[in-house]
């Protein structure tokens, strides 16, 4: 299936720097004393514009923490994070809020939909807050692709888990942000809906130069990406370019055999 003909011709953020987001020596420590957890241990990574990166690793390895820190949704303990050439640590609260709103799309592991709003209102909420009008044609295409056309006036409680996830995906895509962080966006979808969504993400990278960073546990989902980064115990332990599902699965088996490093 191809959406290419209907894709808008104006790419996302072509004038910005080649690196869409960067972490340098990023560490994140939660708690103190007995409850102290080093969720990220001096992570340095770059996400280039128009690249689709998958992040994999065992549960608790720091994947969500990395995405939250890089998107300015959580504070960091040391190191630095940048979106484009803006250092997040240099921003005040209001500037950070504005940057997140205008330049970043986030698909949360828990979908974070507002229960009192309909699916459509949830999708357009970030743009409504920003006082921007969604591109109607693009909105319709996103909604159609994620299969929500008949559900736009439903509230989250009236939607299945997979449908709620698709609302969260549509919300991130609709504003055409410079970079999208997606935390297991296909985790609640059947394989056909998942494949359709992944194909769409892949195409938005190719046709729109969208930058996407996606956490997944699924080797098939990872194979849609240009590269895979493997995390274990808060560190990057490996990287793979042009991944295939088999190669990713192989790498994951080695994780299981060796277990965690500490
Ligand atoms: N708010 C918090 N307070 C204390 N510890 C936390 C907090 N959030 C995460 N952690 C800890 O940090 C580590 C990394 O968590 P994170 O959510 O990033 O893992 P993950 O790789 O996304 O796992 P999963 O695949 O299960 O989603 C875990 O050990 C977790 O218990
Ligand atoms: Mg997580």
């Amino acid at each position: 299936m191809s959406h290419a003909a209907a894709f808008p011709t104006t790419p996302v953020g072509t004038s910005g720097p080649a690196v869409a987001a960067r972490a340098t020596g990023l560490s994140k420590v939660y708690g103190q004393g007995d409850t102290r957890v080093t969720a990220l241990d001096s992570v340095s990574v770059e996400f280039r514009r128009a690249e689709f990166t998958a992040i994999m690793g065992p549960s608790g390895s720091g994947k969500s923490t990395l995405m939250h820190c890089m998107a300015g949704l959580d504070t960091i303990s040391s190191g630095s994070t940048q979106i484009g050439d803006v250092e997040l640590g240099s921003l005040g609260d209001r500037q950070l809020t504005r940057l997140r709103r205008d330049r970043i799309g986030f698909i949360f592991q828990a979908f974070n939909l507002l229960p009192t709003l309909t699916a459509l209102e949830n999708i357009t909420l970030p743009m409504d807050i920003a006082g921007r009008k969604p591109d109607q044609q693009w909105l319709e295409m996103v909604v159609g692709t994620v299969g929500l056309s008949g559900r736009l006036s439903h509230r989250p409680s009236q939607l299945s888990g997979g449908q709620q996830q698709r609302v969260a995906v549509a919300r991130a895509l609709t504003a055409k942000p410079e970079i999208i962080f997606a935390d297991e966006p296909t985790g609640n979808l059947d394989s056909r809906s998942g494949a359709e969504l992944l194909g769409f993400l892949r195409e938005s990278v190719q046709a729109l130069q969208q930058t996407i960073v996606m956490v997944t546990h699924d080797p098939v989902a990872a194979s849609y990406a240009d590269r895979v980064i493997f995390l274990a115990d808060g560190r990057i332990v490996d990287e793979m370019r042009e991944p295939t599902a088999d190669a990713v699965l192989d790498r994951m088996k080695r994780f299981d055999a060796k277990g965690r490093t500490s």
Side-chain angles (χ1 to χ4, degrees), residues 54-89:
I55 299 185
M56 303 192 82
S59 180
S61 58
K63 305 179 298 294
S64 294
T65 305
L66 177 62
M67 308 254 284
H68 292 162
C69 288
M70 293 199 72
L73 292 162
D74 204 346
T75 57
I76 67 177
S77 304
S78 56
S80 69
T81 53
Q82 283 171 258
I83 293 293
D85 44 23
V86 178
E87 180 99 25
L88 295 193

Side-chain angles (χ1 to χ4, degrees), residues 14 16 30 38 44 58 70 89 94 107 159 169 175 197 221 223 247:
T14 37
Y30 289 110
T38 303
S44 295
M70 293 199 72
R94 294 179 59 156
I107 302 166
L159 298 170
V169 168
L197 174 61
S223 72

Side-chain angles (χ1 to χ4, degrees), residues 7-255:
F7 257 75
T9 46
T10 328
V12 180
T14 37
S15 54
V19 174
R22 174 188 283 129
T24 311
L26 166 58
S27 293
K28 174 69 182 178
V29 178
Y30 289 110
Q32 304 175 348
D34 286 355
T35 60
R36 186 183 155 96
V37 174
T38 303
L40 294 175
D41 188 0
S42 198
V43 169
S44 295
V45 66
E46 281 182 359
F47 300 114
R48 300 184 70 78
R49 189 148 40 86
E51 199 165 62
F52 188 176
T53 305
I55 299 185
M56 303 192 82
S59 180
S61 58
K63 305 179 298 294
S64 294
T65 305
L66 177 62
M67 308 254 284
H68 292 162
C69 288
M70 293 199 72
L73 292 162
D74 204 346
T75 57
I76 67 177
S77 304
S78 56
S80 69
T81 53
Q82 283 171 258
I83 293 293
D85 44 23
V86 178
E87 180 99 25
L88 295 193
S90 73
L91 302 179
D93 279 354
R94 294 179 59 156
Q95 293 168 303
L96 184 59
T97 303
R98 196 175 313 135
L99 176 134
R100 274 201 309 259
R101 188 189 71 191
D102 295 341
R103 298 175 63 178
I104 299 174
F106 207 101
I107 302 166
F108 292 91
Q109 192 167 11
F111 321 127
N112 283 23
L113 303 180
L114 290 186
T116 55
L117 300 184
T118 65
L120 179 62
E121 288 164 347
N122 266 290
I123 291 169
T124 57
L125 179 66
M127 300 194 73
D128 290 342
I129 291 173
R132 284 163 63 195
K133 278 232 160 292
D135 170 346
Q136 202 57 35
Q137 232 181 322
W138 175 244
L139 174 64
E140 277 166 30
M141 178 150 111
V142 168
V143 165
T145 299
V146 300
L148 282 172
S149 302
R151 291 287 181 280
L152 288 178
S153 55
H154 287 56
R155 292 182 211 290
S157 61
Q158 302 166 318
L159 298 170
S160 72
Q163 286 167 340
Q164 291 177 50
Q165 183 154 48
R166 286 181 265 162
V167 172
V169 168
R171 179 176 56 189
L173 286 165
T174 295
K176 294 190 212 162
E178 279 171 42
I179 182 164
I180 292 178
F181 293 100
D183 202 345
E184 298 193 51
T186 57
N188 286 274
L189 303 182
D190 59 54
S191 59
R192 188 169 148 255
S193 311
E196 200 153 328
L197 174 61
L198 289 161
F200 187 76
L201 293 180
R202 170 80 253 152
E203 215 162 272
S204 73
V205 170
Q206 255 143 14
L208 291 182
Q209 276 89 62
Q210 180 71 66
T211 308
I212 300 178
V213 184
M214 171 183 78
V215 171
T216 183
H217 288 279
D218 174 7
V220 175
S223 72
Y224 283 78
D226 297 305
R227 69 167 176 161
V228 183
I229 286 176
F230 295 92
L231 275 182
D233 293 323
R235 295 174 188 217
I236 294 178
V237 292
D238 207 354
E239 177 174 342
M240 188 184 286
R241 292 225 153 242
E242 295 176 27
T244 62
D246 283 344
V248 170
L249 191 59
D250 247 25
R251 184 63 188 84
M252 288 167 75
K253 281 185 192 148
R254 274 195 280 147
F255 264 125

